[in-house]
């Protein structure tokens, strides 16, 4: 009977010890779940963005040096985002210069005389229009001086309307949020104050001497 009662009703000390053991893991799990929910909600609420890219290539003229085209392509990649080029591009893109300055990026290759112009917008058609407008303006500015540089820019690939968003999806933001929440939960566990496991033991008091012990001492 006593064994059944012992198995059915565990001591309060055992329950408290198990609760202390599970508490750190519950903090970590709560951080992961909360971070995942916040990250997923951010991915759903945030407006998706689209990126379109157009390419131009630098080619030497009849009097030009083929090796010089690569150097001019690097220079044109830096000039593409300057005000002189964007000032003309805003007319064809239908957006202000400030929008082009914040939305257009260029990239060049160390091995090929090519310039990539990428534009990002919340509207896929506008992203393509901005990329094509900048490359059109850059091509005109470069070809105006081709008699002196002996290099001209030629359109290699026009930007097309993107069909999928370039921004992170809700699944990706949810995973990032879950990772960040787990990291924060782990940091909380590291900096939290810890209780000392060593408890002071009460001093032992000798029991009262029996009558036989007293008689033996006498």
């Amino acid at each position: 009977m006593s064994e059944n009662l012992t198995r059915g009703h565990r001591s309060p000390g055992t329950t408290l010890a198990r609760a202390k053991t599970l508490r750190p893991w519950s903090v970590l799990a709560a951080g992961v779940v909360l971070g995942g929910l916040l990250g997923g909600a951010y991915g759903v609420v945030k407006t998706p963005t689209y990126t379109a890219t157009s390419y131009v290539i630098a080619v030497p003229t009849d009097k030009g040096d083929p090796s010089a085209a690569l150097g001019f392509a690097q220079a044109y990649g830096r000039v593409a985002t300057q005000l002189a080029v964007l000032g003309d591009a805003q007319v064809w893109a239908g957006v202000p210069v400030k929008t082009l300055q914040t939305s257009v990026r260029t990239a060049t290759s160390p091995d090929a005389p090519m310039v990539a112009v990428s534009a990002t917008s919340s509207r896929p058609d506008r992203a393509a229009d901005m990329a094509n407008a900048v490359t059109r303006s850059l091509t005109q500015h470069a070809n105006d001086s081709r008699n002196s540089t002996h290099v001209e820019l030629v359109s290699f690939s026009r930007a097309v309307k993107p069909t999928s968003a370039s921004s992170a999806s809700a699944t990706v933001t949810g995973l990032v949020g879950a990772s960040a929440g787990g990291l924060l939960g782990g940091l909380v566990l590291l900096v939290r104050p810890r209780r000392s496991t060593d408890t002071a033991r009460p001093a032992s008091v000798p029991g009262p001497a029996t009558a036989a012990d007293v008689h033996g001492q006498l």
Side-chain angles (χ1 to χ4, degrees):
M1 181 68 179
S2 61
E3 293 180 356
N4 295 334
L5 292 176
T6 303
R7 295 177 180 176
H9 301 281
R10 295 173 180 174
S11 61
T14 304
T15 304
L16 181 60
R18 292 193 174 185
K20 290 181 178 180
T21 304
L22 295 176
R23 190 175 303 168
W25 294 105
S26 63
V27 173
L28 186 61
V32 172
V33 173
L34 182 60
L37 291 177
L38 292 177
Y42 174 77
V44 173
V45 175
K46 182 183 178 182
T47 303
T49 56
Y50 300 86
T51 301
T53 304
S54 60
Y55 299 89
V56 291
I57 186 170
V59 295
T61 60
D62 296 336
K63 299 180 181 180
D65 185 4
S67 62
L70 181 60
F72 277 102
Q74 301 288 335
Y76 291 144
R78 292 188 292 267
V79 173
T81 55
Q82 299 300 316
L83 186 59
V85 177
L86 299 182
D88 294 337
Q90 68 173 342
V91 179
W92 298 313
V95 296
V97 175
K98 291 184 177 180
T99 303
L100 294 176
Q101 290 176 333
T102 58
S103 303
V104 176
R105 296 292 181 269
T106 61
T108 57
S109 172
D111 302 322
M114 185 176 293
V115 182
V117 179
S118 299
T120 303
S121 175
S122 58
R123 292 172 46 184
D125 55 342
R126 177 169 292 177
D129 291 340
M130 288 192 297
N132 291 325
V134 173
T135 54
R136 178 181 177 182
S137 178
L138 178 63
T139 301
Q140 287 188 355
H141 279 271
N143 292 340
D144 288 341
S145 58
R146 62 185 172 184
N147 292 331
S148 59
T149 61
H150 303 293
V151 173
E152 62 180 355
L153 282 182
V154 179
S155 177
F156 182 79
S157 176
R158 287 179 54 85
V160 296
K161 180 179 177 181
T163 57
S164 59
S166 58
S167 57
S169 61
T171 302
V172 175
T173 56
L175 293 176
V176 173
S179 300
L183 179 60
L184 291 177
L187 293 177
V188 170
L189 295 178
L190 291 176
V191 301
R192 70 186 178 93
R194 297 186 180 185
R195 298 179 180 179
S196 177
T197 55
D198 297 333
T199 56
R201 296 182 180 180
S204 58
V205 179
T210 60
D213 295 335
V214 175
H215 183 269
Q217 293 177 0
L218 295 177

